[in-house]
Amino acid sequence: MTAVLPPPRTPAVTLPHPRRLTREEDGDRLHALFWVPGPGRRMISSAVLGGGIGERAWILNAQVSHGYRRTDPDRHLAGLASAAGARGPGVGLMTAADVSAYAHGHDEGADAFVTAGIDVRGWAAVPGAGGSAPQPPGTINIVAAVPVPLTDSALVNAVATATEAKVQALVETGHDSSGTPTDAVCVMALTPVPEEEAHAFAGPRSLWGARLARAVHQAVRAAVTVP
């Protein structure tokens, strides 16, 4: 008998626009972006909460006050997410930028949402730089997604691709820098399932890496360009 393999999943909307949240904190009116993309999502992130690789149920990108001094940002983000109705593990990012002014990029199924605070920026390789002191939370935060499963190595590749696209956008818009000291990224893909091959590459010349790069590039350009 010939085995019949199930057809590939039909991708839904990769990552819809986020729900906007507002709160009062330490006398400031602050905003946050909240995504609940649904089950069957795997993410890779450098975020302070939920970083690494694993299945995640939600993403929160929260604005904090300039001069943020809390030493438990992971707990802070977890509390904000819980108040928004988050359940299960998720990814939490933060920035001093006004996240309500986010930019969105889209390219053939790949999506990217970017918030940008670029007052504190520079090149990554600087002589004598480095240390354990906290950095000002200016931050370019990238939340991106592709509607296909990726292997672990492809997820890592996707982070590199998104970062390359970010730097390209910064240079093209006249910002002499590779980013800020606190930039963070989160890339979401579908969770691999049996009998469905996960994409092994997400570099800028692979099918989904190229789409991801264009989406991130578009969103970063829009986020850092002064009207």
Side-chain angles (χ1 to χ4, degrees):
M1 178 180 294
T2 302
V4 178
L5 299 180
R9 286 173 285 177
T10 300
V13 174
T14 308
L15 192 62
H17 282 263
R19 178 157 61 104
R20 302 190 193 201
L21 310 174
T22 303
R23 71 189 190 281
E24 297 287 337
E25 191 173 276
D26 298 327
D28 291 324
R29 185 174 179 82
L30 303 171
H31 306 283
L33 305 177
F34 186 52
W35 292 265
V36 183
R41 265 59 173 187
R42 208 159 68 113
M43 303 183 196
I44 181 169
S45 180
S46 62
V48 66
L49 175 66
I53 298 176
E55 292 203 35
R56 303 287 188 263
W58 49 267
I59 307 165
L60 179 75
N61 186 11
Q63 179 188 9
V64 296
S65 300
H66 290 276
Y68 184 78
R69 290 292 181 266
R70 285 188 60 159
T71 58
D72 60 344
D74 53 342
R75 180 173 297 190
H76 187 191
L77 287 165
L80 295 176
S82 178
R87 297 293 180 268
V91 169
L93 310 95
M94 61 172 46
T95 175
D98 180 3
V99 299
S100 66
Y102 71 86
H104 175 232
H106 178 84
D107 191 281
E108 297 188 77
D111 281 286
F113 295 87
V114 173
T115 58
I118 54 174
D119 290 341
V120 181
R121 63 182 186 272
W123 291 99
V126 177
S132 57
Q135 298 293 326
T139 311
I140 298 171
N141 281 343
I142 298 172
V143 174
V146 294
V148 294
L150 299 177
T151 63
D152 284 0
S153 59
L155 284 169
V156 175
N157 209 177
V159 169
T161 295
T163 303
E164 290 182 35
K166 175 195 74 176
V167 176
Q168 180 184 344
L170 286 170
V171 172
E172 289 177 354
T173 52
H175 296 90
D176 188 21
S177 70
S178 56
T180 84
T182 52
D183 288 355
V185 61
C186 175
V187 178
M188 183 188 80
L190 296 182
T191 300
V193 297
E195 300 178 336
E196 181 180 6
E197 185 175 1
H199 289 250
F201 303 101
R205 293 299 173 264
S206 68
L207 176 63
W208 285 103
R211 293 172 177 177
L212 174 68
R214 290 189 292 264
V216 170
H217 176 259
Q218 178 185 349
V220 174
R221 280 189 65 107
V224 303
T225 300
V226 178

